[in-house]
Amino acid sequence: MKKTAALLALPLATLALIAGCGGDDSSSDSSGTNGSNEAAQPAQQSGGATADQAGSGGNVLELQADPSGALAYEETSLTAEKPGKVQIDFTNDSPIGHDVVIEKDGQEVARSSVITGSSEVVSFDAKAGDYTFYCSVPGHREAGMEGTLTVK
Ligand SMILES: [Cu+2]
Protein backbone atom coordinates (compact mmCIF):
# COMPACT_ATOMS: atom_id res chain seq x y z
CA MET A 1 0.00 0.00 0.00
CA LYS A 2 2.82 2.38 0.75
CA LYS A 3 4.37 1.67 -2.63
CA THR A 4 1.07 2.33 -4.28
CA ALA A 5 0.74 5.57 -2.46
CA ALA A 6 4.23 6.56 -3.57
CA LEU A 7 3.44 5.66 -7.14
CA LEU A 8 0.32 7.73 -6.98
CA ALA A 9 2.12 10.58 -5.31
CA LEU A 10 4.71 10.89 -8.07
CA PRO A 11 2.24 11.49 -10.87
CA LEU A 12 0.39 13.87 -8.63
CA ALA A 13 3.57 15.74 -7.95
CA THR A 14 4.29 15.82 -11.67
CA LEU A 15 0.83 17.08 -12.32
CA ALA A 16 1.33 19.72 -9.68
CA LEU A 17 4.58 20.79 -11.37
CA ILE A 18 2.86 20.94 -14.73
CA ALA A 19 0.00 22.83 -13.21
CA GLY A 20 2.52 25.09 -11.57
CA CYS A 21 4.25 25.76 -14.88
CA GLY A 22 0.94 26.29 -16.61
CA GLY A 23 -0.01 28.53 -13.74
CA ASP A 24 3.02 30.70 -14.38
CA ASP A 25 1.53 32.04 -17.56
CA SER A 26 -1.72 33.03 -15.94
CA SER A 27 -0.04 34.11 -12.70
CA SER A 28 2.41 36.27 -14.63
CA ASP A 29 -0.61 38.15 -15.90
CA SER A 30 -1.88 38.67 -12.39
CA SER A 31 1.59 39.40 -11.02
CA GLY A 32 1.92 41.99 -13.75
CA THR A 33 -1.15 43.63 -12.36
CA ASN A 34 0.24 43.31 -8.87
CA GLY A 35 3.54 44.70 -10.08
CA SER A 36 1.95 47.85 -11.36
CA ASN A 37 0.19 48.28 -8.05
CA GLU A 38 3.49 47.85 -6.23
CA ALA A 39 5.14 50.31 -8.59
CA ALA A 40 2.53 52.92 -7.77
CA GLN A 41 3.14 52.69 -4.04
CA PRO A 42 6.89 53.41 -4.08
CA ALA A 43 6.11 56.38 -6.33
CA GLN A 44 3.90 57.76 -3.59
CA GLN A 45 6.57 57.04 -1.00
CA SER A 46 9.27 58.81 -2.98
CA GLY A 47 6.88 61.72 -3.32
CA GLY A 48 6.78 61.85 0.45
CA ALA A 49 10.56 61.77 0.62
CA THR A 50 10.69 64.72 -1.76
CA ALA A 51 8.30 66.59 0.49
CA ASP A 52 10.60 65.86 3.42
CA GLN A 53 13.57 67.29 1.57
CA ALA A 54 11.74 70.43 0.65
CA GLY A 55 10.16 70.69 4.07
CA SER A 56 12.29 70.55 7.13
CA GLY A 57 14.33 67.86 8.74
CA GLY A 58 17.37 69.75 9.97
CA ASN A 59 18.18 71.59 6.76
CA VAL A 60 16.38 74.81 7.65
CA LEU A 61 18.84 76.88 9.68
CA GLU A 62 18.44 80.09 11.59
CA LEU A 63 21.13 82.76 11.36
CA GLN A 64 20.77 86.08 13.10
CA ALA A 65 22.97 89.14 13.19
CA ASP A 66 23.60 90.62 16.62
CA PRO A 67 20.40 92.66 17.22
CA SER A 68 22.21 95.31 19.28
CA GLY A 69 24.36 96.34 16.34
CA ALA A 70 27.61 94.59 17.12
CA LEU A 71 29.51 93.27 14.11
CA ALA A 72 28.68 89.68 14.89
CA TYR A 73 26.35 86.85 14.06
CA GLU A 74 24.54 85.17 16.92
CA GLU A 75 25.60 81.81 15.46
CA THR A 76 29.11 81.07 14.23
CA SER A 77 28.50 77.38 13.66
CA LEU A 78 25.61 75.91 11.70
CA THR A 79 24.91 72.27 10.88
CA ALA A 80 22.69 70.82 8.18
CA GLU A 81 21.67 67.23 8.75
CA LYS A 82 22.02 66.01 5.18
CA PRO A 83 23.13 67.02 1.69
CA GLY A 84 20.52 68.58 -0.57
CA LYS A 85 18.63 71.80 -0.26
CA VAL A 86 19.81 73.90 2.67
CA GLN A 87 17.76 76.92 3.68
CA ILE A 88 19.12 79.70 5.87
CA ASP A 89 16.59 82.03 7.47
CA PHE A 90 18.77 85.10 7.92
CA THR A 91 17.51 87.82 10.24
CA ASN A 92 19.02 91.22 10.95
CA ASP A 93 17.07 93.26 13.49
CA SER A 94 19.90 95.73 14.05
CA PRO A 95 20.15 99.19 12.46
CA ILE A 96 23.40 98.19 10.71
CA GLY A 97 23.18 96.55 7.31
CA HIS A 98 24.43 92.98 7.04
CA ASP A 99 24.25 90.17 4.55
CA VAL A 100 25.32 86.55 4.49
CA VAL A 101 27.49 84.97 1.80
CA ILE A 102 28.06 81.22 1.70
CA GLU A 103 31.26 79.90 0.18
CA LYS A 104 32.73 76.47 -0.43
CA ASP A 105 36.43 76.18 -1.23
CA GLY A 106 36.54 79.88 -2.02
CA GLN A 107 33.61 79.68 -4.46
CA GLU A 108 30.48 81.66 -3.63
CA VAL A 109 27.41 79.40 -3.67
CA ALA A 110 24.74 81.73 -2.26
CA ARG A 111 24.27 85.28 -1.04
CA SER A 112 21.55 87.33 0.59
CA SER A 113 20.87 91.02 0.09
CA VAL A 114 22.27 93.50 2.57
CA ILE A 115 19.31 93.94 4.91
CA THR A 116 18.46 96.08 7.90
CA GLY A 117 15.65 95.37 10.34
CA SER A 118 14.27 92.48 8.34
CA SER A 119 14.91 88.92 7.31
CA GLU A 120 15.60 87.02 4.13
CA VAL A 121 15.65 83.37 3.13
CA VAL A 122 18.75 82.06 1.35
CA SER A 123 18.83 78.54 -0.02
CA PHE A 124 21.26 76.50 -2.06
CA ASP A 125 22.00 72.94 -3.09
CA ALA A 126 24.58 71.57 -0.66
CA LYS A 127 26.99 68.67 -0.72
CA ALA A 128 28.41 67.08 2.39
CA GLY A 129 31.33 69.06 3.73
CA ASP A 130 32.32 72.35 5.32
CA TYR A 131 31.10 75.70 4.04
CA THR A 132 32.08 79.17 5.22
CA PHE A 133 29.60 81.97 5.73
CA TYR A 134 30.38 85.63 6.29
CA CYS A 135 29.10 89.17 5.97
CA SER A 136 30.41 90.93 2.86
CA VAL A 137 29.85 94.48 4.13
CA PRO A 138 33.37 95.99 4.22
CA GLY A 139 35.11 95.40 7.54
CA HIS A 140 32.44 93.14 8.99
CA ARG A 141 34.05 89.81 8.22
CA GLU A 142 37.33 91.10 9.61
CA ALA A 143 35.46 92.14 12.76
CA GLY A 144 34.25 88.60 13.25
CA MET A 145 31.14 88.18 11.13
CA GLU A 146 31.99 84.74 9.83
CA GLY A 147 31.36 81.14 10.72
CA THR A 148 31.26 77.56 9.53
CA LEU A 149 28.36 75.65 8.04
CA THR A 150 28.79 71.90 8.17
CA VAL A 151 26.69 69.67 5.91
CA LYS A 152 26.64 66.10 7.23
CU1 LIG B 1 27.76 92.80 8.50
Side-chain angles (χ1 to χ4, degrees):
M1 289 299 283
K2 286 179 183 173
K3 280 183 182 176
T4 308
L7 287 173
L8 282 172
L10 274 175
L12 282 175
T14 309
L15 280 173
L17 284 174
I18 293 168
C21 289
D24 269 354
D25 289 338
S26 60
S27 73
S28 69
D29 289 342
S30 60
S31 74
T33 308
N34 289 342
S36 61
N37 285 343
E38 287 166 8
Q41 285 169 351
Q44 288 170 352
Q45 284 169 359
S46 67
T50 303
D52 281 347
Q53 282 181 348
S56 55
N59 274 24
V60 177
L61 312 174
E62 303 284 333
L63 177 65
Q64 186 174 4
D66 186 307
S68 68
L71 301 185
Y73 293 119
E74 295 286 274
E75 298 83 10
T76 55
S77 172
L78 299 174
T79 302
E81 293 301 322
K82 61 188 181 226
K85 183 184 175 187
V86 171
Q87 176 178 320
I88 298 175
D89 294 342
F90 173 53
T91 301
N92 177 19
D93 287 331
S94 81
I96 297 173
H98 299 294
D99 67 2
V100 59
V101 178
I102 296 101
E103 274 188 3
K104 176 150 179 71
D105 301 327
Q107 299 288 312
E108 181 179 320
V109 296
R111 166 191 291 266
S112 77
S113 311
V114 176
I115 58 173
T116 303
S118 65
S119 63
E120 184 172 318
V121 172
V122 183
S123 64
F124 63 101
D125 208 27
K127 296 172 181 169
D130 290 336
Y131 290 73
T132 300
F133 65 87
Y134 63 91
C135 178
S136 74
V137 175
H140 289 203
R141 183 179 191 177
E142 291 76 4
M145 291 195 76
E146 64 179 341
T148 303
L149 164 59
T150 303
V151 180
K152 287 185 177 176

